[in-house]
Amino acid sequence: MVYKVNVNTGKRCAMIDITAEVQKIVTESGVEDGICMVYIPHTTAAVTINENADPDVVRDMLYELDKIVPYSDGYKHFEGNSAAHIKSSMFGFSENVIIDSGRLLLGRWQGIYLCEFDGARSRTVYLKIIDSGR
Amino acid sequence: MVYKVNVNTGKRCAMIDITAEVQKIVTESGVEDGICMVYIPHTTAAVTINENADPDVVRDMLYELDKIVPYSDGYKHFEGNSAAHIKSSMFGFSENVIIDSGRLLLGRWQGIYLCEFDGARSRTVYLKIIDSGR
Amino acid sequence: MVYKVNVNTGKRCAMIDITAEVQKIVTESGVEDGICMVYIPHTTAAVTINENADPDVVRDMLYELDKIVPYSDGYKHFEGNSAAHIKSSMFGFSENVIIDSGRLLLGRWQGIYLCEFDGARSRTVYLKIIDSGR
């Protein structure tokens, strides 16, 4: 079984906290111990984990990524979104989070983020839950 | 059980689409639902997922990575391939893909790529399949 | 069940080889075949896999990362450690390693590293072991 979450990203570049949606599905699954795999079936969006306290962290991350991987830089891909493809592979298309007693075992300051690098779009997140049985 | 795929990478830097080989092994495993973990047992090659339609995306990714992590930049490692080590950790050594009804549940434009950053070489990819039983 | 490893990182930026600690816990778990998920519950530290032979590789990786993601670069986050947040998302918060006949199935030159980007601190690593039963 694969669960799906839909997210409207709203901007060209954004990081959207999806932790509550992921926890809700983990709770509904009834799995007590295991792994929740968060998977992005796109090529210009990614998933990461990072701080959910000061919103300036997300602002700084998107700002600096734009400096590291400039939007225009002699790319040949006709859609003009090569920077988004590169950023996505840097951050990655899946994150695994431990499920412990029915809860996502995140660190104190961690949230799970869908990273939009070529929006605004409607994106889908797949969740696969593995029950480790102990 | 661990499955292995051998890949000749052909160039110093390359991204080689291994989706068909991975799907073939998933099919042979008979697993209907679960996770296929794709693992690279090297330190100057990586695995990522990205667009499999326009080949200019791969070209742009390799081109821009070379600008972000220059081949020569005051490195001390005697083999001279430190850029390849850094790129590999940026893209990562494993990707997990959901198996749904016996198929890799990739997005419409997604392919699985072995990323060669210090070739040409013969590389090995490990596949571990977890049956989630539902 | 979730295993925990504590690591004192000693410096502002460091990569600490935790392979032996991870193997020890895998051995104690008694699991012969499966996956060991290594998870970092922090937002300014990461986990990666890379070369464990020449220490200059780690030196070059930390050196170049500091050039790619400068420590000061117009960030707004009040703690001043935005570079560490970005580096962490680039390298990632989890790595999965295959367990084969009770051993981590690493490549010949691979070690598992806790990456400290905002130390020195005491960090925790979570390990979740999935028994694949074959």
Side-chain angles (χ1 to χ4, degrees):
Chain A
M1 185 170 180
V2 181
Y3 300 88
K4 296 182 184 178
V5 176
N6 292 312
V7 181
N8 288 308
T9 58
K11 285 195 269 190
R12 185 166 71 78
C13 289
M15 288 172 59
I16 293 132
D17 190 334
I18 59 171
T19 312
E21 286 87 343
V22 177
Q23 178 61 59
K24 184 162 173 281
I25 287 170
V26 168
T27 301
E28 286 170 8
S29 77
V31 171
E32 288 290 310
D33 292 281
I35 288 178
C36 178
M37 175 185 164
V38 183
Y39 185 85
I40 308 296
H42 304 289
T43 58
T44 54
V47 58
T48 197
I49 287 168
N50 220 296
E51 179 173 326
N52 61 3
D54 178 4
D56 276 340
V57 171
V58 163
R59 179 264 170 205
D60 288 349
M61 291 179 72
L62 294 173
Y63 161 85
E64 188 67 15
L65 270 183
D66 261 339
K67 292 183 70 168
I68 296 167
V69 191
Y71 185 76
S72 296
D73 204 14
Y75 306 121
K76 296 200 172 167
H77 177 42
F78 70 94
E79 292 184 284
N81 60 359
S82 286
H85 286 286
I86 297 161
K87 291 173 182 177
S88 298
S89 278
M90 280 184 171
F91 274 25
F93 298 92
S94 66
E95 287 286 350
N96 296 321
V97 181
I98 298 167
I99 302 169
D100 190 50
S101 304
R103 304 288 306 172
L104 294 168
L105 190 64
L106 294 164
R108 181 172 177 187
W109 307 108
Q110 288 186 327
I112 305 169
Y113 287 91
L114 169 69
C115 304
E116 172 65 79
F117 295 128
D118 189 42
R121 298 205 204 190
S122 174
R123 299 290 198 176
T124 304
V125 180
Y126 293 162
L127 302 179
K128 180 74 179 175
I129 296 174
I130 301 291
D131 190 339
S132 65
R134 53 170 184 165
Chain B
M1 186 171 181
V2 181
Y3 300 88
K4 296 181 185 179
V5 176
N6 292 312
V7 181
N8 287 308
T9 57
K11 285 195 270 190
R12 186 167 72 76
C13 290
M15 288 172 59
I16 294 131
D17 190 334
I18 59 171
T19 313
E21 287 87 343
V22 176
Q23 177 62 60
K24 185 162 172 281
I25 286 170
V26 167
T27 301
E28 287 170 9
S29 77
V31 172
E32 288 290 311
D33 292 281
I35 287 177
C36 178
M37 175 183 163
V38 183
Y39 185 85
I40 307 296
H42 305 289
T43 59
T44 54
V47 59
T48 196
I49 287 169
N50 221 296
E51 179 172 326
N52 62 3
D54 177 5
D56 277 340
V57 172
V58 163
R59 179 265 171 206
D60 287 349
M61 292 179 71
L62 295 173
Y63 161 86
E64 187 66 16
L65 270 182
D66 261 339
K67 293 182 70 168
I68 296 166
V69 191
Y71 185 76
S72 297
D73 203 15
Y75 306 122
K76 297 200 170 166
H77 178 43
F78 70 95
E79 291 184 285
N81 60 359
S82 286
H85 287 284
I86 297 161
K87 291 174 182 178
S88 298
S89 277
M90 280 184 170
F91 273 26
F93 298 92
S94 66
E95 288 286 349
N96 295 321
V97 181
I98 298 167
I99 303 169
D100 189 52
S101 304
R103 303 290 305 172
L104 295 168
L105 190 64
L106 294 164
R108 181 173 177 188
W109 306 108
Q110 288 186 328
I112 305 168
Y113 287 91
L114 169 71
C115 303
E116 172 64 81
F117 295 128
D118 189 42
R121 299 204 204 189
S122 174
R123 300 289 197 175
T124 304
V125 180
Y126 294 162
L127 301 180
K128 181 73 179 176
I129 296 174
I130 302 291
D131 191 338
S132 66
R134 53 168 183 165
Chain C
M1 186 170 181
V2 181
Y3 299 88
K4 297 182 184 178
V5 176
N6 292 312
V7 181
N8 288 308
T9 57
K11 285 195 269 190
R12 185 167 72 77
C13 290
M15 287 173 60
I16 294 132
D17 190 333
I18 58 170
T19 313
E21 288 86 343
V22 176
Q23 178 61 61
K24 186 162 173 281
I25 286 171
V26 167
T27 302
E28 286 170 9
S29 77
V31 171
E32 288 290 311
D33 292 280
I35 287 177
C36 178
M37 175 184 164
V38 183
Y39 185 85
I40 308 296
H42 304 288
T43 59
T44 54
V47 59
T48 197
I49 287 168
N50 222 296
E51 179 173 325
N52 62 2
D54 177 4
D56 277 340
V57 172
V58 163
R59 179 264 172 207
D60 288 349
M61 291 179 73
L62 295 173
Y63 161 86
E64 188 66 16
L65 270 183
D66 261 339
K67 293 182 70 166
I68 297 167
V69 191
Y71 186 76
S72 297
D73 203 14
Y75 306 122
K76 297 200 171 166
H77 178 41
F78 71 94
E79 291 184 286
N81 61 358
S82 286
H85 287 285
I86 297 160
K87 290 173 181 178
S88 298
S89 277
M90 279 183 170
F91 274 24
F93 297 92
S94 67
E95 288 286 350
N96 295 321
V97 181
I98 298 167
I99 303 169
D100 189 50
S101 304
R103 304 289 304 172
L104 294 168
L105 189 65
L106 294 163
R108 182 173 175 187
W109 307 107
Q110 288 186 327
I112 305 168
Y113 287 91
L114 169 69
C115 304
E116 173 64 80
F117 295 128
D118 189 42
R121 300 203 203 190
S122 174
R123 300 289 197 176
T124 304
V125 180
Y126 294 161
L127 302 179
K128 181 74 180 175
I129 296 174
I130 302 290
D131 190 339
S132 65
R134 51 170 185 167

